[in-house]
Amino acid sequence: MVMSNGHTNGVQPQGNKELRYPSVHDDTVSMTTNVGTPVVSNQHSESVNRRGPVLMEDYHLVEKLAQFNRGKIPERVVHARGMTAKGYFETTHDVTDICSAEFLSEVGRKTPLIARFSTVVHEAGSPESLRDTRGFSVKFYTNEGNWDFVGNNMPVFFVRDGIKFPDLIRCLRPNPKNHLQEGWRILDFLSHHPESIFILMWLLGPRGIPADWRHMEGFGVHTFKMVNKAGKETYVKFHWKPTCGVKVLTDEEAKEVGMANNVQSHATEDLWNTIESGEFPEWKLYIQTMEVEDELKFDFDPLDASKIFPEDQFPLQPVGRMVLDRNIDNFFNEQEMVAFNPGVTPPGIRVSDDKLLQSRVFAYSDAQRYRLGANYQLLPVNAPKCPYKNNHYEGTMNITQRDEEVNYQPSQQYDIDDNAASKSHGAAWTSTPASGPRVKQGIEKENNFQQPGEYYRSFDRESKDVFQKHLLTFMTHPKCSEAVQKTWIGFMHKTDAELGKEIEQKFTDMQKKN
């Protein structure tokens, strides 16, 4: 039996039926301890004489200090700096031909959600105006369980295999010796990963610093699957487009924003104040679709997270809209403790075989179990809003109240349906066969230079200069080796002939001056 958030004042507990979550809305005029005992004084500790010494039998004092000492939880390994807001998703277009998800089954249906925006690399107190990838995550509380959309503000990623993710984050973070972020370390590591060129053009180009949370796009990055009731799978890419438009900052504007805001939280302040004013931010959700049987027909691997689906071949199709109309009630409860995993999907949406995505399905929940505890999904912000039932009884801080005698399945005494999804969604849980030799190898169709070259050629002259300036800043760092420098000059030649020529010439000129 799932514990309720409700309570009845003045009713004495009777078994598990009256147990409930603690609530600050209880009708009490007295300050109490955590166990409900009225406090004698919150101004003075208990002591021998008025001058001391203090008595450690003062339960209120000990509880207060101990609670404060444990008031911080481990910071997120990535995406530590962020902000959340609440709202709803409204389905605006019919996609039932490709997806059986219940919350997408009817135009006009609204689903509650919470969205979190974040920077990736730096600490929780870092400025929101730094050049960095932004996280764009949304937790949908659907009638068939949660859907965690876990994306970024850039459509591609640096690497295509999760085994390289820890190395990637370490190269992007400050030098472990001096705690300074240094571009030579980034180029050194990524010189072994030419698939990173595409996202570097986003990160080091004109769109590397979003103006704020409201004016940035969101991308699912990976290819996912939608499955209809007949069991047909379709590859999809997800896109969020802000209705207020996309805005970015130049390096100079970012410095001004950072200096003008003493707490360096300009994006959080903007989002909060905008919602408080009644001007609710909105994003439109679009998908691109590809037939699974066509996946080998293109010059890129559709399961490669460093690639996009070109929009001239795979046009955007509208699905719905997200409106953020409420600020959070408590920063710690709803921002620090909200947790996402791209593997959390309702029936009708599934992960693909993308190797990076498959790794994230394990890593994200593993990180949250370390950071928040084994039962982090029972926290109110993470718990589903629909009925849920399982036999996960134990573990640290398991707050679910139960009175059953059977905590196993199957049982002839008390059984529970364990294949409801198959009944309600027909063949929607059928899966494509997977077979082949065990290997530790990369994908065959890398094609690392075509898409970044096409993207670069879409830049105007000013945008090209912005990218080149930032890349050359990394390349000319005193610790950047000649081998790494030559590698990146070679990468630029392979990406675009004009780009390679200009980078090589500018690099040579800068070396002569030094």
Side-chain angles (χ1 to χ4, degrees), residues 171 183-193 480-481 484 488:
C171 88
W184 70 270
R185 289 165 34 84
I186 298 173
L187 293 191
D188 179 30
F189 173 72
L190 295 181
S191 67
H192 300 276
H193 295 280
C480 191
S481 70
V484 171
W488 279 94

Side-chain angles (χ1 to χ4, degrees), residues 224-264:
F224 287 80
K225 291 179 181 179
M226 282 186 165
V227 190
N228 66 15
K229 287 194 173 183
K232 182 179 185 297
E233 298 177 336
T234 303
Y235 284 146
V236 296
K237 290 268 196 182
F238 295 107
H239 300 250
W240 293 98
K241 303 289 184 183
T243 58
C244 60
V246 175
K247 292 184 180 180
V248 296
L249 300 176
T250 64
D251 290 331
E252 294 72 22
E253 291 170 336
K255 290 177 182 177
E256 291 178 8
V257 166
M259 289 187 292
N261 190 308
N262 290 331
V263 293
Q264 300 178 322

Side-chain angles (χ1 to χ4, degrees), residues 8 15-16 49 108 111 123 177 205 273 280 297 325 361 369 431:
T8 304
N16 287 341
N49 302 315
T111 301
E123 297 91 344
K177 187 171 184 177
N273 290 342
F280 303 138
K297 296 181 179 180
D325 59 1
V361 169
R369 291 185 181 104
S431 58

Side-chain angles (χ1 to χ4, degrees), residues 195-234:
E195 68 267 30
S196 65
I197 296 170
F198 201 170
I199 192 171
L200 278 183
M201 287 187 170
W202 280 75
L203 182 60
L204 303 184
R207 302 179 73 171
I209 311 177
D212 50 56
W213 306 131
R214 288 189 299 126
H215 291 92
M216 72 178 192
E217 297 173 285
F219 301 92
V221 180
H222 303 283
T223 298
F224 287 80
K225 291 179 181 179
M226 282 186 165
V227 190
N228 66 15
K229 287 194 173 183
K232 182 179 185 297
E233 298 177 336
T234 303

Side-chain angles (χ1 to χ4, degrees), residues 30 61 156 179 208 223 290 299 362 376 394 399 509 514:
S30 316
L61 168 67
V156 289
H179 204 64
T223 298
M290 176 192 292
D299 54 16
F362 163 76
Y376 75 93
E394 292 85 13
I399 56 177
D509 293 343
N514 295 330

